[in-house]
């Protein structure tokens, strides 16, 4: 099983080793996952359709394409996660091998369950945002919250998505985040289902 995963950028790519480690413990047959970063945001409209179609044809074709977008893109393209998935489906058309997924409101929501690690890196005792990680926004998405705690902490440097995303995830049990983040669970379950594994309940 070869799966192409369209992602927004480098933070999601830093997530790949943690995801692979997690999947190895749950799957008999590991899929080949290729993360394809798009420097800031997943393409829209016909461009997304063309990318998906091209990945599914030819001698090096993938068996499936997953698109993973943030709901918060810096624009007002998406109202929420369901709207983002519906729009991506509409742009790509009726393609049974395309699976749209979202990080709500941005990828960093999936890092919030590891707040004690974030505090250690930032050298801060600032408490975690209230509520479920994927509900944290209010015009201040999770990436901004992590940036703020880094900049106000004693580490005295800003949050760097690539460097710090990987450091926050290092040696973490991904199940901690899966249990708090339904969109993350849905994304991982798509990979598990395509790989004929047992879904996470």
């Amino acid at each position: 099983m070869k799966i192409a995963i369209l992602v927004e950028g480098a933070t999601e790519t830093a997530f790949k080793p943690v995801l692979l480690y997690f999947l190895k413990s749950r799957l008999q047959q590991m899929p080949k996952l290729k993360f394809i970063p798009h420097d800031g945001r997943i393409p829209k409209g016909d461009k997304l359709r063309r990318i998906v179609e091209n990945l599914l044809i030819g001698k090096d074709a993938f068996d499936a394409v997953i698109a993973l977008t943030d709901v918060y893109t810096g624009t007002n393209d998406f109202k929420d996660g369901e709207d983002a998935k519906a729009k991506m489906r509409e742009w790509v058309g009726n393609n049974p091998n395309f699976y749209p997924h979202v990080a709500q409101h941005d990828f960093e929501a999936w890092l919030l369950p590891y707040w004690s690690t974030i505090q250690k890196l930032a050298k801060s005792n600032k408490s975690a945002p209230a509520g479920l990680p994927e509900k944290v926004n209010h015009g201040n998405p999770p990436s901004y919250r992590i940036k703020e705690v880094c900049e106000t902490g004693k580490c005295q440097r800003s949050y760097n998505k690539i460097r710090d995303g990987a450091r926050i995830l290092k040696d973490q049990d991904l199940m901690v985040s899966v249990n708090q983040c339904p969109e993350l669970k849905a994304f991982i379950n798509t990979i598990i289902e395509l790989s004929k594994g047992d879904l996470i309940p």
Side-chain angles (χ1 to χ4, degrees):
M1 173 60 60
K2 281 173 65 187
I3 305 169
I5 303 177
L6 310 180
V7 294
E8 298 204 339
T11 330
E12 291 86 347
T13 309
F15 170 63
K16 185 180 177 182
V18 182
L19 176 63
L20 289 175
Y21 183 79
F22 179 78
L23 290 170
K24 275 181 189 146
S25 67
R26 308 189 75 89
L27 293 173
Q28 301 284 314
Q29 196 66 38
M30 275 296 285
K32 284 194 173 77
L33 301 182
K34 180 170 185 182
F35 276 52
I36 303 172
H38 281 275
D39 298 326
R41 65 159 307 160
I42 300 287
K44 303 192 291 187
D46 283 349
K47 187 172 182 192
L48 179 61
R49 180 179 53 76
R50 283 195 305 276
I51 288 168
V52 170
E53 286 171 356
N54 287 338
L55 288 167
L56 294 168
I57 57 171
K59 64 176 172 49
D60 295 323
F62 289 86
D63 300 298
V65 177
I66 295 172
L68 179 61
T69 185
D70 288 357
V71 171
Y72 178 80
T73 59
T75 67
N76 294 322
D77 285 336
F78 308 130
K79 290 196 288 286
D80 55 26
E82 288 312 309
D83 182 48
K85 287 184 272 193
K87 282 195 172 135
M88 287 192 290
R89 271 192 205 97
E90 190 183 307
W91 293 333
V92 170
N94 186 16
N95 191 321
N97 299 314
F98 174 66
Y99 301 86
H101 281 281
V102 295
Q104 186 158 302
H105 289 272
D106 58 23
F107 174 81
E108 277 76 10
W110 299 347
L111 303 181
L112 294 182
Y114 309 110
W115 193 259
S116 61
T117 302
I118 293 167
Q119 286 175 315
K120 277 189 207 122
L121 290 175
K123 299 184 177 152
S124 168
N125 60 4
K126 188 174 172 66
S127 48
L132 291 170
E134 291 179 339
K135 302 278 188 209
V136 170
N137 191 28
H138 310 298
N140 190 6
S143 56
Y144 286 25
R145 310 287 180 113
I146 296 173
K147 184 172 184 273
E148 183 193 4
V149 75
C150 287
E151 289 176 355
T152 58
K154 290 186 179 138
C155 76
Q156 296 194 327
R157 65 177 183 203
S158 192
Y159 169 62
N160 175 291
K161 283 175 171 273
I162 307 167
R163 177 195 65 218
D164 297 326
R167 286 168 74 209
I168 292 163
L169 286 167
K170 190 175 187 303
D171 302 326
Q172 298 290 5
D173 176 4
L174 197 54
M175 203 67 193
V176 171
S177 193
V178 166
N179 284 331
Q180 294 180 48
C181 302
E183 294 293 352
L184 174 59
K185 184 191 278 186
F187 165 67
I188 291 175
N189 269 339
T190 291
I191 298 171
I192 290 173
E193 188 171 15
L194 287 166
S195 310
K196 303 198 167 24
D198 295 328
L199 297 182
I200 303 165

